Amino acid sequence: MSGLRSQSATTTVAAPLLGWTMRRRLVPYLFFAPTLLALLAMYAYPIGQAFFVSLHRDSLGTRIGDFIGLENFVAVLTQPLFPELLFNTVVYTVGVVVCVWVLGVVTALLLFRTFPGRFLARGLVILPWAVPVVPVVASWQWLLNFDYGLFNAITHGLGFDRLDMLAASPGAMITVILVTSWKLFPLASVMFLAALQTIPDELYEAAEIDGANDWQQFLNVTLPGLRSVSMFVILLMTVTIFGRAFTIILLLTGGGPAGTTEVLALQTYHEAFQYFRMGSASALGMVVLAISLCITTLYLTLLFRRKDEA
Amino acid sequence: MFERMTKIFGSLAVAAALGGAPVQAGEIVWPSYEWGGPLKDFMREVVDDFTAANKDTTVKIASPNYGGFFDKQFIEVTSGNPPSILTFQDPQIGQYISAGLLEPLGKYYKAAGVDPATFPKVIQVAIRDGEIYGVPLQVNPRALIYNQAMLDAVGLRVPTNLEEFYAALKALRDPAKGQFGFALLGTPVAADPTAYEISNIVLGFGAAFFENGKPVANSPKMLEAMSFYKKIFDEGLIPRGIDFMTQRELIYSGKVAMIASAPFAFVRAKTVNADIAKHLKTRVLPFPGQGQSFTIMTLLAVPKDAKNKDEAARLLMSLLTEANQKKLVEKYASLPIRPVYAAADIQARFPDFEAFLQASNLSASSAPQGAESLAPQINVAIKRHFESFVYGNVPVKAALDNMQAEFERLLASRR
């Protein structure tokens, strides 16, 4: 009996390691921890590793090269082609972002209307985004072919000169922008379509009562209603295109003709997998990351400043 | 810490990408896009024979796609967990040799009684300081594949020199039918295929980008070769927007009368379009270089860090036995690496292959001779300056001078 009493007393005395309040405070962090760990493993580690490699001499073997500080950064920033690569990247990024935004909004507005076959049309719009890049590029190459392509057959049939859309400058850059935009616009379209459904009908009714025509309704009701999604689409596309997109260029023109479609991401790929210079490739990757961060920060600052002013 | 984690992550990623797992004792791991190619059955037979004779050895094969294969292979080697056998196209092997990543194979050649000196001369890219680091799987020299019926239709015989060739291009051009006499690279593509494809003309004219480690991109022969390229492109005598894959489809469909291509392209015609294939014949290139052409040799090698290196090297040697080399020709319609037939035999038994065998003896790698370790940078420079005069407005001479200057800069940066 006394033994039981003693055990009970011990149980009462043993206090939890953390108090109730503290445990409640920790719960959100525990829920957040798996995500944080995944983010660290998937983002922080590769970025940290790339930065570490960028500070070391290029080496092809399993050993990391000697520590050389910022030499790789100096080398990539002072290479003669860097200004041209940066210019091409900016043109490509701006071109794709503008085209994707315009195509996304226009198709979303069309699909938002009620018409027979709307569900089928909504499904078909997704196709470019769903089809793998390689067949997409092969199809475009044939469509745009100078001697055998459909577009040139039509334009030539109408009495116009044939256009070499992949081997002429600036035609090649325009082509890679259009093909990339064609591939990516469904993503924007779906997001804009979802956003359109959140704009209250009352706003359109009020605008109509105020005598606003379709164009004025678009400018004063629809566009403000799409503002937050636009912000996200523009940011997502900018970062994606500026820092990562090169597959379509690699397959369509290989960066040509004469480097006119060569962008920083393609050069990073060349440094890593053609020249086997992992240090230089990592340095270039870090430069692209830094520029992307600057663009993002600037964009968000301007956006929030305008919002505050409004 | 970082190095160790990199190795672990790299190995895991590549193992996942190639469907691999840790190497077992006596296991040879051989991933290659060639397992999906025309020689896959030949390779399978060789592997089966080898494992039957070596009961403790197993061979694990994987057939990744060609696209991205070399990138994955590079990651695998640099992560410290390479497979037992690597696959290269000849211009790529030089960098791996320079970095000391490959196992020397001279002793295995000696044990197998095979003399690499009897191989096509492109094998030189795998030899460094007297030691050999690669085993050729196949060699693909370029010769002229032509459609006799299309030439007959315009009353011409197969061209044997540049003048006849140019006359044939003009005679065969028919815009209404979309018909051309010849097809060459006519669109911007990635750097390596650009360098490969224009090598048909460069080497065909007896020119080269490099000789004995020195750049010779603006030599008179090169100027002649590239001026000819520009001329037939501007005159619309070759189709625009065409890469090397499409060239073959155009000759199979009867839209083009001649291409410079390899034995596999000639053999494949029979399965693609038998009606056209029966009119196809071959001869060496009719350019001023006296039949010289370019070739791609597929080379296999054993990485220094590989497990079971000895078994892997012995397996590779078994590809070169006389019986397997004969099988390569007779059963798989590929050129032999070793001279296993007498010249008269070839003429009598494989008449279509005679031109390719002649070309094989005359052909060279597209790798810059004496500057192989800079091949990727050189190919990027070739692409840029070649495109500047073919698709742009830069005069040919100025573009070649720019190319030469860039080559010299690249060499200086290496020093």
Side-chain angles (χ1 to χ4, degrees):
Chain A
M1 189 70 183
S2 67
L4 276 174
R5 217 171 11 238
S6 156
Q7 198 175 24
S8 166
T10 309
T11 309
T12 313
V13 169
L17 277 173
L18 295 169
W20 173 246
T21 314
M22 182 61 88
R23 273 191 281 171
R24 279 196 65 177
R25 278 185 191 163
L26 273 179
V27 167
Y29 294 100
L30 288 173
F31 278 116
F32 180 57
T35 311
L36 182 69
L37 283 173
L39 284 172
L40 283 173
M42 297 295 168
Y43 289 91
Y45 172 72
I47 290 172
Q49 171 68 8
F51 183 64
F52 177 77
V53 173
S54 72
L55 301 175
H56 292 76
R57 199 176 297 285
D58 298 313
S59 72
L60 191 55
T62 49
R63 279 193 63 251
I64 301 252
D66 300 332
F67 179 79
I68 53 167
L70 296 175
E71 263 184 45
N72 284 326
F73 288 88
V74 174
V76 298
L77 289 171
T78 55
Q79 61 173 289
L81 289 178
F82 186 78
E84 187 185 334
L85 291 170
L86 188 58
F87 175 77
N88 289 344
T89 310
V90 170
V91 170
Y92 181 56
T93 305
V94 171
V96 172
V97 170
V98 169
C99 288
V100 165
W101 188 88
V102 171
L103 283 170
V105 169
V106 169
T107 49
L109 287 171
L110 290 173
L111 294 173
F112 190 56
R113 290 163 182 262
T114 309
F115 59 90
R118 184 171 71 156
F119 289 109
L120 181 68
R122 284 183 175 184
L124 287 175
V125 161
I126 296 292
L127 266 182
W129 188 67
V131 178
V133 174
V134 175
V136 163
V137 170
S139 304
W140 278 101
Q141 271 173 331
W142 271 116
L143 286 170
L144 299 171
N145 185 276
F146 185 84
D147 286 301
Y148 302 108
L150 179 67
F151 288 157
N152 271 318
I154 293 169
T155 52
H156 192 61
L158 293 171
F160 296 102
D161 282 342
R162 290 176 188 273
L163 287 174
D164 204 343
M165 290 297 288
L166 292 169
S169 178
M173 179 55 95
I174 293 169
T175 305
V176 294
I177 286 173
L178 290 178
V179 174
T180 310
S181 306
W182 181 85
K183 184 85 182 71
L184 292 177
F185 88 88
L187 186 65
S189 186
V190 168
M191 291 166 80
F192 285 129
L193 190 58
L196 283 174
Q197 288 164 7
T198 64
I199 302 174
D201 286 344
E202 291 80 5
L203 292 179
Y204 289 101
E205 287 162 12
E208 247 182 85
I209 290 166
D210 289 344
N213 59 27
D214 285 352
W215 177 243
Q216 286 168 327
Q217 285 183 32
F218 173 73
L219 283 182
N220 297 301
V221 180
T222 310
L223 274 188
L226 297 178
R227 193 165 175 236
S228 56
V229 172
S230 285
M231 185 180 92
F232 182 69
V233 167
I234 289 171
L235 199 58
L236 183 73
M237 289 296 154
T238 303
V239 173
T240 305
I241 301 300
F242 191 89
R244 289 169 44 193
F246 73 94
T247 318
I248 287 175
I249 294 179
L250 182 69
L251 295 172
L252 211 51
T253 66
T260 51
T261 58
E262 201 160 321
V263 294
L264 285 169
L266 183 61
Q267 179 68 8
T268 310
Y269 171 78
H270 281 159
E271 289 283 352
F273 293 106
Q274 280 233 294
Y275 310 158
F276 300 141
R277 297 194 299 218
M278 294 309 281
S280 309
S282 301
L284 197 52
M286 297 311 294
V287 169
V288 171
L289 178 68
I291 297 172
S292 296
L293 279 175
C294 289
I295 294 170
T296 309
T297 310
L298 186 69
Y299 176 71
L300 290 176
T301 307
L302 288 173
L303 205 75
F304 284 119
R305 189 178 293 169
R306 277 186 58 190
K307 203 174 176 183
D308 289 345
E309 284 168 7
Chain B
M1 175 67 177
F2 260 121
E3 274 185 54
R4 189 183 296 171
M5 285 188 77
T6 305
K7 280 184 187 177
I8 294 166
F9 273 90
S11 306
L12 285 173
V14 173
L18 296 178
V23 178
Q24 309 297 317
E27 184 182 64
I28 298 169
V29 182
W30 186 359
S32 177
Y33 60 88
E34 288 290 352
W35 286 108
L39 293 185
K40 62 178 187 293
D41 293 331
F42 167 72
M43 291 157 65
R44 170 61 76 186
E45 278 190 55
V46 172
V47 164
D48 288 347
D49 291 347
F50 184 80
T51 48
N54 297 272
K55 297 287 183 199
D56 296 336
T57 306
T58 55
V59 179
K60 185 178 179 184
I61 64 168
S63 179
N65 288 331
Y66 179 81
F69 170 80
F70 296 107
D71 298 351
K72 286 177 191 162
Q73 181 170 270
F74 166 66
I75 294 169
E76 206 166 14
V77 172
T78 52
S79 68
N81 186 28
S84 317
I85 295 173
L86 303 177
T87 307
F88 298 102
Q89 289 180 339
D90 58 79
Q92 303 157 340
I93 199 169
Q95 283 175 297
Y96 281 71
I97 299 173
S98 297
L101 297 173
L102 302 182
E103 185 71 10
L105 299 173
K107 64 178 178 183
Y108 296 99
Y109 271 100
K110 209 170 177 182
V114 177
D115 181 6
T118 62
F119 294 175
K121 68 177 181 183
V122 66
I123 190 64
Q124 289 303 322
V125 297
I127 297 175
R128 190 72 54 88
D129 300 327
E131 185 54 87
I132 184 163
Y133 294 87
V135 175
L137 174 65
Q138 59 175 324
V139 60
N140 279 310
R142 269 48 177 173
L144 190 74
I145 300 175
Y146 62 94
N147 184 323
Q148 183 68 61
M150 288 176 78
L151 286 167
D152 289 346
V154 292
L156 291 174
R157 62 191 178 89
V158 60
T160 56
N161 58 47
L162 196 60
E163 291 70 36
E164 289 176 8
F165 181 74
Y166 181 65
L169 295 197
K170 294 198 105 169
L172 285 158
R173 178 75 177 108
D174 184 344
K177 290 185 194 166
Q179 178 183 294
F180 291 86
F182 191 60
L184 271 172
L185 179 66
T187 193
V189 294
D192 285 351
T194 302
Y196 295 169
E197 288 304 304
I198 67 172
S199 291
N200 278 321
I201 297 293
V202 172
L203 295 167
F205 274 68
F209 292 111
F210 274 75
E211 277 172 6
N212 301 319
K214 290 191 177 142
V216 285
N218 55 358
S219 67
K221 279 182 182 173
M222 181 69 86
L223 183 60
E224 188 192 359
M226 292 295 102
S227 299
F228 181 73
Y229 204 128
K230 175 73 174 161
K231 181 178 161 185
I232 60 176
F233 183 82
D234 285 351
E235 290 178 6
L237 297 177
I238 54 171
R240 291 187 180 198
I242 297 300
D243 62 10
F244 61 100
M245 304 273 270
T246 319
Q247 289 168 27
R248 292 174 212 148
E249 301 310 315
L250 290 178
I251 198 162
Y252 299 153
S253 62
K255 291 280 183 194
V256 162
M258 300 178 280
I259 59 168
S261 197
F264 66 83
F266 181 76
V267 171
R268 188 167 168 263
K270 289 171 188 153
T271 54
V272 177
N273 189 342
D275 290 339
I276 294 287
K278 66 187 176 200
H279 300 299
L280 296 185
K281 292 186 167 26
T282 60
R283 62 151 285 132
V284 292
L285 294 175
F287 302 139
Q290 307 298 320
Q292 182 180 295
S293 73
F294 116 95
T295 188
I296 291 185
M297 181 179 266
T298 306
L299 287 154
L300 306 170
V302 178
K304 244 183 188 149
D305 291 342
K307 295 175 182 70
N308 307 321
K309 287 188 284 192
D310 187 62
E311 290 91 336
R314 286 191 296 109
L315 169 60
L316 294 187
M317 287 304 135
S318 69
L319 291 162
L320 298 171
T321 63
E322 190 169 331
N324 280 336
Q325 288 294 296
K326 285 188 170 171
K327 200 185 283 177
L328 196 62
V329 183
E330 292 167 18
K331 203 168 163 188
Y332 297 99
S334 187
L335 289 190
I337 305 299
R338 294 172 58 192
V340 286
Y341 297 101
D345 245 16
I346 291 284
Q347 213 162 16
R349 295 177 60 190
F350 317 105
D352 293 326
F353 271 23
E354 197 188 350
F356 291 118
L357 281 165
Q358 280 182 46
S360 179
N361 295 327
L362 297 165
S363 63
S365 168
S366 73
Q369 195 201 6
E372 289 84 359
S373 62
L374 285 173
Q377 289 96 319
I378 287 167
N379 287 352
V380 169
I382 289 171
K383 170 184 162 62
R384 179 173 276 266
H385 297 294
F386 167 75
E387 290 174 352
S388 75
F389 71 78
V390 175
Y391 313 124
N393 299 319
V394 179
V396 178
K397 175 81 173 68
L400 294 178
D401 286 342
N402 292 339
M403 194 187 287
Q404 175 76 6
E406 189 163 349
F407 287 169
E408 285 166 1
R409 271 200 303 275
L410 282 170
L411 281 180
S413 69
R414 183 176 66 168
R415 288 180 204 117

mmCIF file of all heavy atoms in Angstrom, chain A residues 101 191-192 194-196 198-199 221-236 299-300 303-304 307:
data_model
loop_
_atom_site.group_PDB
_atom_site.id
_atom_site.type_symbol
_atom_site.label_atom_id
_atom_site.label_comp_id
_atom_site.label_asym_id
_atom_site.label_seq_id
_atom_site.Cartn_x
_atom_site.Cartn_y
_atom_site.Cartn_z
ATOM 1 N N TRP A 101 1.948 37.112 -70.332
ATOM 2 C CA TRP A 101 0.915 37.875 -69.626
ATOM 3 C C TRP A 101 -0.250 38.198 -70.578
ATOM 4 O O TRP A 101 -1.424 37.963 -70.244
ATOM 5 C CB TRP A 101 1.506 39.165 -69.047
ATOM 6 C CG TRP A 101 0.540 39.891 -68.155
ATOM 7 C CD1 TRP A 101 0.362 39.701 -66.815
ATOM 8 C CD2 TRP A 101 -0.410 40.893 -68.539
ATOM 9 N NE1 TRP A 101 -0.631 40.520 -66.343
ATOM 10 C CE2 TRP A 101 -1.129 41.270 -67.382
ATOM 11 C CE3 TRP A 101 -0.727 41.506 -69.742
ATOM 12 C CZ2 TRP A 101 -2.139 42.221 -67.395
ATOM 13 C CZ3 TRP A 101 -1.741 42.461 -69.766
ATOM 14 C CH2 TRP A 101 -2.434 42.819 -68.604
ATOM 15 N N MET A 191 -4.318 30.564 -64.137
ATOM 16 C CA MET A 191 -4.300 31.418 -62.939
ATOM 17 C C MET A 191 -5.204 32.639 -63.114
ATOM 18 O O MET A 191 -5.933 33.027 -62.196
ATOM 19 C CB MET A 191 -2.860 31.848 -62.635
ATOM 20 C CG MET A 191 -2.008 30.671 -62.162
ATOM 21 S SD MET A 191 -0.257 31.017 -62.187
ATOM 22 C CE MET A 191 -0.113 31.927 -60.698
ATOM 23 N N PHE A 192 -5.161 33.235 -64.293
ATOM 24 C CA PHE A 192 -6.030 34.387 -64.552
ATOM 25 C C PHE A 192 -7.508 33.967 -64.573
ATOM 26 O O PHE A 192 -8.370 34.707 -64.112
ATOM 27 C CB PHE A 192 -5.650 35.062 -65.871
ATOM 28 C CG PHE A 192 -4.382 35.869 -65.782
ATOM 29 C CD1 PHE A 192 -3.358 35.695 -66.695
ATOM 30 C CD2 PHE A 192 -4.208 36.812 -64.772
ATOM 31 C CE1 PHE A 192 -2.180 36.432 -66.611
ATOM 32 C CE2 PHE A 192 -3.042 37.556 -64.678
ATOM 33 C CZ PHE A 192 -2.018 37.361 -65.591
ATOM 34 N N ALA A 194 -8.865 31.596 -62.868
ATOM 35 C CA ALA A 194 -9.294 31.445 -61.471
ATOM 36 C C ALA A 194 -9.522 32.811 -60.836
ATOM 37 O O ALA A 194 -10.498 33.016 -60.096
ATOM 38 C CB ALA A 194 -8.228 30.669 -60.700
ATOM 39 N N ALA A 195 -8.636 33.754 -61.148
ATOM 40 C CA ALA A 195 -8.768 35.094 -60.556
ATOM 41 C C ALA A 195 -10.017 35.803 -61.071
ATOM 42 O O ALA A 195 -10.682 36.520 -60.310
ATOM 43 C CB ALA A 195 -7.521 35.905 -60.876
ATOM 44 N N LEU A 196 -10.343 35.600 -62.340
ATOM 45 C CA LEU A 196 -11.537 36.248 -62.907
ATOM 46 C C LEU A 196 -12.799 35.832 -62.158
ATOM 47 O O LEU A 196 -13.736 36.616 -62.013
ATOM 48 C CB LEU A 196 -11.677 35.885 -64.393
ATOM 49 C CG LEU A 196 -10.745 36.619 -65.370
ATOM 50 C CD1 LEU A 196 -10.897 36.042 -66.777
ATOM 51 C CD2 LEU A 196 -11.043 38.109 -65.385
ATOM 52 N N THR A 198 -13.113 35.344 -59.146
ATOM 53 C CA THR A 198 -13.215 35.942 -57.802
ATOM 54 C C THR A 198 -13.656 37.412 -57.862
ATOM 55 O O THR A 198 -13.886 38.026 -56.821
ATOM 56 C CB THR A 198 -11.854 35.879 -57.066
ATOM 57 O OG1 THR A 198 -10.920 36.681 -57.784
ATOM 58 C CG2 THR A 198 -11.345 34.455 -56.967
ATOM 59 N N ILE A 199 -13.745 37.970 -59.067
ATOM 60 C CA ILE A 199 -14.173 39.381 -59.161
ATOM 61 C C ILE A 199 -15.704 39.420 -59.044
ATOM 62 O O ILE A 199 -16.400 38.800 -59.857
ATOM 63 C CB ILE A 199 -13.709 40.015 -60.493
ATOM 64 C CG1 ILE A 199 -12.179 39.927 -60.617
ATOM 65 C CG2 ILE A 199 -14.179 41.461 -60.602
ATOM 66 C CD1 ILE A 199 -11.637 40.388 -61.952
ATOM 67 N N VAL A 221 -12.124 47.511 -63.775
ATOM 68 C CA VAL A 221 -12.612 46.441 -62.896
ATOM 69 C C VAL A 221 -11.752 45.176 -63.047
ATOM 70 O O VAL A 221 -11.212 44.656 -62.068
ATOM 71 C CB VAL A 221 -14.102 46.096 -63.199
ATOM 72 C CG1 VAL A 221 -14.583 44.979 -62.285
ATOM 73 C CG2 VAL A 221 -14.971 47.336 -63.041
ATOM 74 N N THR A 222 -11.631 44.705 -64.317
ATOM 75 C CA THR A 222 -10.944 43.423 -64.522
ATOM 76 C C THR A 222 -9.457 43.514 -64.146
ATOM 77 O O THR A 222 -8.966 42.698 -63.360
ATOM 78 C CB THR A 222 -11.089 42.976 -65.995
ATOM 79 O OG1 THR A 222 -12.461 43.045 -66.360
ATOM 80 C CG2 THR A 222 -10.574 41.568 -66.183
ATOM 81 N N LEU A 223 -8.774 44.491 -64.721
ATOM 82 C CA LEU A 223 -7.319 44.568 -64.456
ATOM 83 C C LEU A 223 -6.998 44.726 -62.967
ATOM 84 O O LEU A 223 -6.129 44.000 -62.455
ATOM 85 C CB LEU A 223 -6.695 45.707 -65.260
ATOM 86 C CG LEU A 223 -6.260 45.359 -66.695
ATOM 87 C CD1 LEU A 223 -5.488 46.510 -67.316
ATOM 88 C CD2 LEU A 223 -5.408 44.102 -66.729
ATOM 89 N N PRO A 224 -7.676 45.639 -62.258
ATOM 90 C CA PRO A 224 -7.387 45.695 -60.803
ATOM 91 C C PRO A 224 -7.697 44.372 -60.104
ATOM 92 O O PRO A 224 -7.004 43.983 -59.168
ATOM 93 C CB PRO A 224 -8.314 46.814 -60.313
ATOM 94 C CG PRO A 224 -8.561 47.652 -61.518
ATOM 95 C CD PRO A 224 -8.584 46.715 -62.676
ATOM 96 N N GLY A 225 -8.731 43.676 -60.594
ATOM 97 C CA GLY A 225 -9.079 42.383 -59.990
ATOM 98 C C GLY A 225 -8.022 41.316 -60.232
ATOM 99 O O GLY A 225 -7.911 40.351 -59.474
ATOM 100 N N LEU A 226 -7.262 41.497 -61.309
ATOM 101 C CA LEU A 226 -6.210 40.507 -61.630
ATOM 102 C C LEU A 226 -4.852 40.915 -61.078
ATOM 103 O O LEU A 226 -3.850 40.247 -61.341
ATOM 104 C CB LEU A 226 -6.090 40.350 -63.156
ATOM 105 C CG LEU A 226 -7.315 39.809 -63.911
ATOM 106 C CD1 LEU A 226 -7.039 39.766 -65.402
ATOM 107 C CD2 LEU A 226 -7.677 38.413 -63.404
ATOM 108 N N ARG A 227 -4.843 42.036 -60.328
ATOM 109 C CA ARG A 227 -3.557 42.618 -59.954
ATOM 110 C C ARG A 227 -2.654 41.663 -59.165
ATOM 111 O O ARG A 227 -1.483 41.483 -59.488
ATOM 112 C CB ARG A 227 -3.800 43.876 -59.137
ATOM 113 C CG ARG A 227 -2.564 44.704 -58.976
ATOM 114 C CD ARG A 227 -2.902 46.093 -58.491
ATOM 115 N NE ARG A 227 -1.679 46.812 -58.248
ATOM 116 C CZ ARG A 227 -1.375 47.373 -57.093
ATOM 117 N NH1 ARG A 227 -2.202 47.303 -56.088
ATOM 118 N NH2 ARG A 227 -0.235 48.011 -56.943
ATOM 119 N N SER A 228 -3.229 41.043 -58.148
ATOM 120 C CA SER A 228 -2.360 40.203 -57.303
ATOM 121 C C SER A 228 -1.887 38.969 -58.070
ATOM 122 O O SER A 228 -0.728 38.548 -57.929
ATOM 123 C CB SER A 228 -3.078 39.800 -56.028
ATOM 124 O OG SER A 228 -4.285 39.160 -56.360
ATOM 125 N N VAL A 229 -2.762 38.407 -58.926
ATOM 126 C CA VAL A 229 -2.322 37.245 -59.723
ATOM 127 C C VAL A 229 -1.299 37.685 -60.769
ATOM 128 O O VAL A 229 -0.307 37.004 -61.014
ATOM 129 C CB VAL A 229 -3.540 36.562 -60.397
ATOM 130 C CG1 VAL A 229 -3.088 35.498 -61.376
ATOM 131 C CG2 VAL A 229 -4.417 35.929 -59.345
ATOM 132 N N SER A 230 -1.515 38.858 -61.358
ATOM 133 C CA SER A 230 -0.539 39.389 -62.328
ATOM 134 C C SER A 230 0.834 39.511 -61.687
ATOM 135 O O SER A 230 1.849 39.149 -62.275
ATOM 136 C CB SER A 230 -0.968 40.775 -62.813
ATOM 137 O OG SER A 230 -2.024 40.668 -63.700
ATOM 138 N N MET A 231 0.810 40.035 -60.461
ATOM 139 C CA MET A 231 2.075 40.218 -59.742
ATOM 140 C C MET A 231 2.802 38.884 -59.603
ATOM 141 O O MET A 231 3.997 38.765 -59.871
ATOM 142 C CB MET A 231 1.770 40.795 -58.362
ATOM 143 C CG MET A 231 2.974 41.157 -57.548
ATOM 144 S SD MET A 231 2.451 41.829 -55.959
ATOM 145 C CE MET A 231 2.419 40.358 -54.960
ATOM 146 N N PHE A 232 2.030 37.868 -59.237
ATOM 147 C CA PHE A 232 2.625 36.549 -59.045
ATOM 148 C C PHE A 232 3.112 35.966 -60.377
ATOM 149 O O PHE A 232 4.220 35.428 -60.464
ATOM 150 C CB PHE A 232 1.598 35.616 -58.393
ATOM 151 C CG PHE A 232 2.139 34.261 -58.121
ATOM 152 C CD1 PHE A 232 3.103 34.058 -57.140
ATOM 153 C CD2 PHE A 232 1.719 33.170 -58.866
ATOM 154 C CE1 PHE A 232 3.624 32.799 -56.907
ATOM 155 C CE2 PHE A 232 2.236 31.908 -58.630
ATOM 156 C CZ PHE A 232 3.188 31.717 -57.648
ATOM 157 N N VAL A 233 2.282 36.097 -61.420
ATOM 158 C CA VAL A 233 2.653 35.549 -62.735
ATOM 159 C C VAL A 233 3.926 36.219 -63.251
ATOM 160 O O VAL A 233 4.865 35.551 -63.706
ATOM 161 C CB VAL A 233 1.494 35.735 -63.755
ATOM 162 C CG1 VAL A 233 1.965 35.476 -65.179
ATOM 163 C CG2 VAL A 233 0.343 34.798 -63.412
ATOM 164 N N ILE A 234 3.954 37.538 -63.159
ATOM 165 C CA ILE A 234 5.126 38.271 -63.670
ATOM 166 C C ILE A 234 6.387 37.866 -62.896
ATOM 167 O O ILE A 234 7.440 37.607 -63.482
ATOM 168 C CB ILE A 234 4.885 39.796 -63.583
ATOM 169 C CG1 ILE A 234 3.839 40.190 -64.633
ATOM 170 C CG2 ILE A 234 6.175 40.579 -63.810
ATOM 171 C CD1 ILE A 234 3.335 41.615 -64.516
ATOM 172 N N LEU A 235 6.249 37.773 -61.598
ATOM 173 C CA LEU A 235 7.409 37.414 -60.779
ATOM 174 C C LEU A 235 7.884 35.987 -61.084
ATOM 175 O O LEU A 235 9.070 35.740 -61.296
ATOM 176 C CB LEU A 235 7.019 37.530 -59.299
ATOM 177 C CG LEU A 235 8.167 37.641 -58.316
ATOM 178 C CD1 LEU A 235 9.027 38.842 -58.629
ATOM 179 C CD2 LEU A 235 7.611 37.757 -56.898
ATOM 180 N N LEU A 236 6.922 35.080 -61.134
ATOM 181 C CA LEU A 236 7.251 33.676 -61.403
ATOM 182 C C LEU A 236 7.927 33.517 -62.770
ATOM 183 O O LEU A 236 8.959 32.856 -62.901
ATOM 184 C CB LEU A 236 5.962 32.847 -61.355
ATOM 185 C CG LEU A 236 6.107 31.341 -61.531
ATOM 186 C CD1 LEU A 236 6.703 30.714 -60.286
ATOM 187 C CD2 LEU A 236 4.749 30.695 -61.813
ATOM 188 N N TYR A 299 11.137 44.878 -57.927
ATOM 189 C CA TYR A 299 9.766 44.754 -58.397
ATOM 190 C C TYR A 299 8.780 44.803 -57.224
ATOM 191 O O TYR A 299 7.791 45.551 -57.245
ATOM 192 C CB TYR A 299 9.638 43.435 -59.171
ATOM 193 C CG TYR A 299 8.237 43.112 -59.638
ATOM 194 C CD1 TYR A 299 7.639 43.833 -60.664
ATOM 195 C CD2 TYR A 299 7.522 42.085 -59.044
ATOM 196 C CE1 TYR A 299 6.359 43.532 -61.082
ATOM 197 C CE2 TYR A 299 6.242 41.768 -59.457
ATOM 198 C CZ TYR A 299 5.663 42.490 -60.477
ATOM 199 O OH TYR A 299 4.406 42.194 -60.879
ATOM 200 N N LEU A 300 9.094 44.028 -56.187
ATOM 201 C CA LEU A 300 8.184 43.992 -55.039
ATOM 202 C C LEU A 300 8.153 45.335 -54.308
ATOM 203 O O LEU A 300 7.099 45.785 -53.871
ATOM 204 C CB LEU A 300 8.600 42.871 -54.079
ATOM 205 C CG LEU A 300 8.359 41.453 -54.596
ATOM 206 C CD1 LEU A 300 8.886 40.427 -53.607
ATOM 207 C CD2 LEU A 300 6.868 41.216 -54.827
ATOM 208 N N LEU A 303 6.087 47.713 -56.302
ATOM 209 C CA LEU A 303 4.686 47.306 -56.252
ATOM 210 C C LEU A 303 4.039 47.695 -54.921
ATOM 211 O O LEU A 303 2.948 48.266 -54.882
ATOM 212 C CB LEU A 303 4.619 45.791 -56.451
ATOM 213 C CG LEU A 303 3.323 45.274 -57.005
ATOM 214 C CD1 LEU A 303 3.218 45.572 -58.490
ATOM 215 C CD2 LEU A 303 3.244 43.781 -56.795
ATOM 216 N N PHE A 304 4.728 47.400 -53.822
ATOM 217 C CA PHE A 304 4.160 47.694 -52.515
ATOM 218 C C PHE A 304 4.139 49.205 -52.248
ATOM 219 O O PHE A 304 3.244 49.709 -51.577
ATOM 220 C CB PHE A 304 4.913 46.936 -51.421
ATOM 221 C CG PHE A 304 4.538 45.481 -51.405
ATOM 222 C CD1 PHE A 304 5.485 44.499 -51.635
ATOM 223 C CD2 PHE A 304 3.222 45.089 -51.184
ATOM 224 C CE1 PHE A 304 5.140 43.162 -51.646
ATOM 225 C CE2 PHE A 304 2.864 43.745 -51.190
ATOM 226 C CZ PHE A 304 3.826 42.775 -51.429
ATOM 227 N N LYS A 307 1.139 50.414 -53.916
ATOM 228 C CA LYS A 307 -0.027 49.960 -53.169
ATOM 229 C C LYS A 307 -0.265 50.874 -51.958
ATOM 230 O O LYS A 307 -1.391 51.286 -51.680
ATOM 231 C CB LYS A 307 0.190 48.521 -52.708
ATOM 232 C CG LYS A 307 -1.091 47.768 -52.422
ATOM 233 C CD LYS A 307 -0.764 46.324 -52.121
ATOM 234 C CE LYS A 307 -2.009 45.565 -51.726
ATOM 235 N NZ LYS A 307 -1.717 44.201 -51.363
#
